[in-house]
Amino acid sequence: MIITYPLFIVTGISGSGKSATSLELQKIMVDLNVNVFDMDLIVNDENYQQACDNWLKIAYYSAYSGRYTVLFGHVPDPYNVEICDHFPFFAPVHYLHLYCNDEARTERLSARGKWTKKSIEYMNALSEKLVLEAQTSSPPIPTIDTSLTSPSQVAKLIKTWILKNPPK
């Protein structure tokens, strides 16, 4: 019998507020035996899948020692957690989706400088598709609109979500 551990994944496309929120969530989860990681931080040479494998290893060893993990990343693409070697060690896997309106995303991505008008338009169209998928998945994936909500407030909402799904 495999011993499994809960895993929390906060997903969303570029510009949805994952990185800013992960920093805020780290601050308010410090006393709760929870690690919070932005999956983009250990990507080398655009190898997102290798980074994902590494994050799940880190999450597994953390859970084994009593600390649970919240991963922030654009799942399932480019991070596909379900094909990682350590994925079978996690159950349940809880997902939450961050999104924002087109205006907020366009402003956020334009401020980064490396985004073209065409790539921003693609992300805006993709966002609508992903929100619909979250709402129609079974079970539905909770979503948080970050358009007008500060990262600290979004972090508080995520903390509430985690506490409603406590590790057992």
Side-chain angles (χ1 to χ4, degrees):
M1 180 170 142
I2 295 176
I3 296 174
T4 60
Y5 304 96
L7 180 65
F8 299 88
I9 298 177
V10 178
T11 186
I13 63 171
S14 297
S16 63
K18 296 181 307 296
S19 294
T21 300
S22 71
L23 294 172
E24 294 298 320
L25 188 63
Q26 288 176 28
K27 294 175 189 175
I28 64 173
M29 296 297 285
V30 72
D31 295 333
L32 296 176
N33 269 344
V34 175
N35 293 319
V36 179
F37 299 117
D38 182 338
M39 292 175 72
D40 288 349
L41 293 179
I42 63 170
V43 175
N44 292 313
D45 300 323
E46 302 287 317
N47 191 339
Y48 291 92
Q49 195 56 48
Q50 182 62 54
C52 187
D53 285 331
N54 290 337
W55 277 125
L56 284 188
K57 287 176 192 172
I58 292 166
Y60 172 72
Y61 291 113
S62 292
Y64 186 74
S65 65
R67 293 187 63 83
Y68 298 97
T69 298
V70 181
L71 295 175
F72 280 75
H74 184 185
V75 174
D77 179 35
Y79 302 106
N80 186 348
V81 295
E82 294 182 9
I83 65 170
C84 294
D85 291 341
H86 283 75
F87 187 73
F89 297 110
F90 295 100
V93 178
H94 302 279
Y95 292 93
L96 183 139
H97 184 73
L98 300 183
Y99 70 98
C100 60
N101 63 34
D102 292 356
E103 181 182 341
R105 184 177 313 94
T106 298
E107 182 180 315
R108 293 171 187 179
L109 295 180
S110 295
R112 295 180 185 178
K114 66 178 183 175
W115 289 85
T116 65
K117 182 179 178 184
K118 185 173 182 151
S119 63
I120 293 171
E121 288 172 356
Y122 171 78
M123 283 292 158
N124 287 339
L126 179 60
S127 177
E128 290 180 33
K129 177 182 179 248
L130 294 176
V131 168
L132 182 60
E133 287 178 6
Q135 293 169 344
T136 59
S137 70
S138 183
I141 296 171
T143 57
I144 297 175
D145 185 346
T146 66
S147 303
L148 300 173
T149 310
S150 70
S152 62
Q153 183 59 37
V154 175
K156 289 175 187 172
L157 293 170
I158 293 171
K159 180 179 180 180
T160 299
W161 167 71
I162 291 168
L163 294 176
K164 286 182 180 176
N165 297 288
K168 293 175 174 71

